[in-house]
């Protein structure tokens, strides 16, 4: 099949080309994001391969359909950026990578916890400048602390397992508790988790119920000085409410790998320009905030799994056999 790969970074080309070692498919790589303006690039291609910041709305799907595209292969687990109803109407199959390396994201969340707790990112800069003062670097023992995990899929449970290894008490909230959760994971109501947790880590999908789950009301229920970590979906967190919580001191430490308006920021080098997102820039002024640019998934193992699963989806679609991780439109009642 001829596949147009959008938002293709050098690492995408490397891993997808490796996964396509037998040259089963003709891959064409485009730096540009898929949008209404760039959709014509896909004309004549059987499928497109897209990432989280590509636009796959009704208008784009109409253009893809007119150009002969029959498959949208996502290089991600999330699919909230795809108009599934329009894809179904047009007869376009949408496939995703349901899991790649849950350890990658879980371990990155732990890295944010450790870095924020001991302020290693601030210490690094101080030492490079010859400043060896310890003021402002005070942390706390993780042993004995209570960690709240919101969302207990593969990633959430691995994160819980690692934090339990530090000697933490684990509280969890999930509307559908995972039967694979170990005995040390205690499921509690969300309000109880907010009230008891010293550290809260978000691993839930973005749904209408979790959109801005962490808002002013939720923060008000949390312990003063709570550490909040988000490696899940940006819109789970209300940025305005979090900024207010940081200013008041109610949030003591904040670690983000995702951001609700990240589409215009992440995965690009903007170091030579002006970042116009005032809320994002406000976040960067806090000494107790650590932001990474959606890199939690970025390990050799995860990229290998993403590329191999993506190509396997293309194989299955083309041959009509094998495992196709299809995303099916489901109308909410």
């Amino acid at each position: 099949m001829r596949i147009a790969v959008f938002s293709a970074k050098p690492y995408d080309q490397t891993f997808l080309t490796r996964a396509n070692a037998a040259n089963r498919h003709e891959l064409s790589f485009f730096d540009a994001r898929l949008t209404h303006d760039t959709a014509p690039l896909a004309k004549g291609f059987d499928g497109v391969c897209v990432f989280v910041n590509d636009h796959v709305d009704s208008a784009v799907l109409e253009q893809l359909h007119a150009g002969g595209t029959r498959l949208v292969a996502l290089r991600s687990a999330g699919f909230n950026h795809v108009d599934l109803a329009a894809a179904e109407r047009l007869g376009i199959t949408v496939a995703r990578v349901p899991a790649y390396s849950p350890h990658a994201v879980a371990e990155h969340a732990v890295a944010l916890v450790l870095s924020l707790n001991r302020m290693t990112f601030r210490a690094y800069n101080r030492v490079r400048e010859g400043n060896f003062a310890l003021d402002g670097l005070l942390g706390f023992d993780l042993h004995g602390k209570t960690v709240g995990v919101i969302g207990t899929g593969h990633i959430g449970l691995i994160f819980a397992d690692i934090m339990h290894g530090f000697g933490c008490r684990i509280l969890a909230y999930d509307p559908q508790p995972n039967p694979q959760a170990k005995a040390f994971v205690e499921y509690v109501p969300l309000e109880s988790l907010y009230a008891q947790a010293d550290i809260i880590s978000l691993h839930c999908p973005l749904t209408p119920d979790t959109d801005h789950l962490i808002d002013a009301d939720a923060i008000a229920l949390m312990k003063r000085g709570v550490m909040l970590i988000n490696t899940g979906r940006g819109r789970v967190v209300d940025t305005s409410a979090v900024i207010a919580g940081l200013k008041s001191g109610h949030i003591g430490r904040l670690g983000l790998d995702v951001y609700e308006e990240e589409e215009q920021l992440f995965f690009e080098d903007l170091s030579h320009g002006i970042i116009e997102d005032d809320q994002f820039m406000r976040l960067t002024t806090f000494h107790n905030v650590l932001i990474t640019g959606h890199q939690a998934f970025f390990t050799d193992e995860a990229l290998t799994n993403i590329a191999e699963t993506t190509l396997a989806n293309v194989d299955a679609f083309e041959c009509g056999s094998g495992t196709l991780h299809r995303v099916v439109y489901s109308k909410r009642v």
Side-chain angles (χ1 to χ4, degrees):
M1 291 181 67
R2 298 187 66 223
I3 305 295
V5 183
F6 286 88
S7 297
K9 302 299 182 186
Y11 46 84
D12 292 310
Q13 185 164 350
T14 296
F15 283 87
L16 285 169
T17 300
R18 184 185 302 167
N20 192 42
N23 295 315
R24 302 188 303 274
H25 306 288
E26 180 184 334
L27 305 181
S28 295
F29 297 93
F30 298 100
D31 293 337
R33 288 187 300 170
L34 177 61
T35 66
H36 187 271
D37 293 331
T38 62
L41 292 172
K43 185 176 181 180
F45 284 85
D46 305 299
V48 295
C49 181
V50 300
F51 199 46
V52 295
N53 286 342
D54 289 300
H55 293 184
V56 198
D57 57 20
S58 178
V60 168
L61 286 166
E62 292 276 4
Q63 288 183 280
L64 294 177
H65 178 259
T69 295
R70 299 176 290 127
L71 172 68
V72 173
L74 306 175
R75 303 194 302 278
S76 62
F79 50 85
N80 53 284
H81 56 307
V82 182
D83 188 331
L84 295 177
E88 182 179 86
R89 172 173 53 83
L90 295 166
I92 295 176
T93 297
V94 179
R96 69 181 182 127
V97 180
Y100 33 94
S101 174
H103 293 277
V105 181
E107 290 170 7
H108 191 80
V110 174
L112 291 176
V113 170
L114 294 171
S115 297
L116 278 166
N117 179 26
R118 306 307 295 268
M119 293 293 176
T120 51
F121 58 103
R122 297 190 70 197
Y124 171 80
N125 289 324
R126 284 189 186 186
V127 169
R128 286 172 61 88
E129 296 172 356
N131 179 358
F132 303 100
L134 299 182
D135 294 334
L137 304 180
L138 185 66
F140 54 83
D141 287 359
L142 289 175
H143 184 85
K145 294 300 184 292
T146 298
V147 175
V149 182
I150 299 178
T152 53
H154 293 302
I155 297 170
L157 287 187
I158 291 171
F159 173 81
D161 197 24
I162 296 172
M163 297 308 295
H164 181 255
F166 282 109
C168 297
R169 175 192 177 206
I170 307 298
L171 302 181
Y173 171 78
D174 197 311
Q176 297 179 322
N178 193 330
Q180 296 181 351
K182 297 182 181 178
F184 59 75
V185 177
E186 178 185 354
Y187 282 98
V188 297
L190 194 55
E191 293 76 9
S192 180
L193 184 150
Y194 288 152
Q196 298 182 62
D198 302 293
I199 300 167
I200 296 175
S201 190
L202 306 174
H203 301 283
C204 52
L206 178 62
T207 68
D209 293 331
T210 62
D211 194 345
H212 281 186
L213 177 70
I214 306 302
D215 58 10
D217 292 338
I219 292 169
L221 297 175
M222 297 177 189
K223 278 187 173 183
R224 185 170 182 83
V226 66
M227 180 190 293
L228 181 63
I229 304 293
N230 188 13
T231 56
R233 293 290 182 267
R235 283 196 59 84
V236 173
V237 171
D238 181 340
T239 305
S240 297
V242 164
I243 289 174
L246 288 164
K247 290 172 66 177
S248 70
H250 205 102
I251 296 176
R253 292 169 168 84
L254 175 68
L256 301 177
D257 186 58
V258 290
Y259 171 63
E260 61 179 322
E261 300 296 337
E262 69 178 58
E263 179 183 339
Q264 302 302 322
L265 300 173
F266 291 176
F267 307 115
E268 304 298 336
D269 181 359
L270 306 180
S271 60
H272 300 293
I274 301 298
I275 295 177
E276 298 181 358
D277 187 325
D278 292 339
Q279 285 201 126
F280 181 84
M281 295 309 295
R282 182 71 179 91
L283 283 173
T284 65
T285 67
F286 292 98
H287 72 276
N288 53 347
V289 171
L290 177 56
I291 303 173
T292 53
H294 206 136
Q295 73 174 78
F297 78 100
F298 198 63
T299 66
D300 186 278
E301 292 81 358
L303 289 177
T304 297
N305 290 340
I306 289 170
E308 290 178 349
T309 303
T310 298
L311 269 296
N313 280 332
V314 176
D315 287 343
F317 176 80
E318 182 182 40
C319 299
S321 61
T323 301
L324 175 64
H325 300 286
R326 185 170 185 172
V327 185
V328 180
Y329 172 64
S330 177
K331 183 177 181 181
R332 291 178 63 90
V333 179

